[in-house]
């Protein structure tokens, strides 16, 4: 697949799942403002992947109109445990590079599974995506968004209930349809 096809699948997932079902009540605004940056990381090297994280931090530092970045890993981290290792190292790297409190990482993966949650529990789909992804988010934007939301603490419980109501078959269909873009 080309980078544009990979980005199109990611944008379809954002639109038809994250925004359509209000999984993240803050995503629609950024999508409408066109302030989400999509970067494909084609390398299977952990070093290149970590370099991409810092490159995006530098980009966000210099581009205030870019609210957030989705780093999409196409050739690496198909194994969820390997992806979690990347996430842990990337989080430490943000601290080491002075980005703690400036940017936060959220993670998405085709096989995402929350700890203590069965693999086939539909609630895992709140963090399942077409490709392994790290989402770089501005901390100050999170604080503003949460402050303006009537019930930020209730978002996870609402998403769990919603995904369980939708069921595995529907959720799989939503994600699989993203590849058809």
């Amino acid at each position: 697949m080309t980078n544009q096809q990979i980005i199109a699948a990611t944008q379809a997932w954002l639109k038809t799942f994250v925004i359509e079902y209000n999984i993240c009540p803050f995503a629609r605004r950024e999508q409408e403002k066109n302030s989400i940056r999509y970067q494909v990381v084609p390398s299977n090297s952990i070093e290149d992947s970590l370099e991409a994280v810092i490159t995006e931090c530098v980009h966000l530092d210099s581009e205030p109109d870019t609210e957030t970045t989705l780093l999409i890993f196409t050739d690496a981290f198909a194994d969820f445990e390997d992806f979690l290792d990347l996430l842990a190292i990337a989080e430490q790297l943000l601290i080491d590079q002075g980005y703690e409190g400036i940017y936060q990482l959220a993670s998405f993966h085709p096989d995402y599974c929350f700890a203590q949650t069965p693999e086939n529990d539909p609630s895992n789909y709140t963090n399942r995506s077409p490709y392994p992804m790290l989402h770089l988010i501005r901390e100050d934007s999170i604080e503003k968004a949460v402050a303006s939301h009537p019930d930020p603490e209730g978002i996870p419980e609402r998403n769990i209930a919603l995904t369980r109501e939708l069921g595995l078959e529907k959720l799989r269909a939503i994600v699989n349809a993203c590849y058809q873009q």
Side-chain angles (χ1 to χ4, degrees):
M1 293 185 81
T2 67
N3 285 357
Q4 191 50 46
Q5 290 169 316
I6 292 162
I7 291 170
T10 303
Q11 290 171 325
W13 167 75
L14 184 70
K15 182 179 177 186
T16 63
F17 179 63
V18 176
I19 292 172
E20 178 73 24
Y21 290 96
N22 204 30
I23 299 299
C24 174
F26 318 114
R28 178 182 306 276
R29 176 176 177 261
E30 300 315 320
Q31 188 236 13
E32 289 173 353
K33 286 176 42 184
N34 198 31
S35 63
I36 302 170
R37 180 172 155 97
Y38 301 86
Q39 287 297 106
V40 176
V41 182
S43 176
N44 61 7
S45 154
I46 194 159
E47 292 83 7
D48 291 345
S49 300
L50 294 169
E51 185 177 323
V53 170
I54 296 305
T55 297
E56 284 310 304
C57 290
V58 171
H59 175 84
L60 290 169
D61 286 346
S62 65
E63 296 293 333
D65 290 338
T66 303
E67 184 61 36
T68 188
T69 296
L70 286 171
L71 283 174
I72 308 161
F73 300 93
T74 57
D75 297 331
F77 314 109
D79 179 84
F80 183 56
E81 293 301 320
D82 290 344
F83 178 74
L84 290 178
D85 290 344
L86 168 69
L87 174 62
I89 296 167
E91 287 174 333
Q92 185 60 51
L93 181 62
L94 289 182
I95 294 167
D96 294 347
Q97 295 296 311
Y99 286 113
E100 184 177 27
I102 298 170
Y103 301 115
Q104 185 179 110
L105 290 175
S107 57
F108 302 94
H109 191 278
D111 297 322
Y112 203 98
C113 188
F114 290 103
Q116 313 305 318
T117 303
E119 187 177 317
N120 64 349
D121 189 315
S123 68
N124 291 313
Y125 274 82
T126 63
N127 284 62
R128 286 196 180 168
S129 57
Y131 301 97
M133 286 189 261
L134 291 178
H135 182 191
L136 279 146
I137 312 163
R138 295 177 188 274
E139 286 266 352
D140 62 342
S141 297
I142 293 171
E143 291 171 13
K144 290 175 190 169
V146 167
S148 69
H149 192 276
D151 182 24
E153 294 82 24
I155 294 170
E157 287 106 27
R158 182 196 110 22
N159 287 344
I160 290 168
L162 173 65
T163 53
R164 288 179 175 160
E165 180 183 321
L166 290 170
L168 283 174
E169 187 175 318
K170 172 82 172 171
L171 293 165
R172 285 183 183 131
I174 291 168
V175 173
N176 288 336
C178 295
Y179 297 108
Q180 309 307 313
Q181 302 305 309

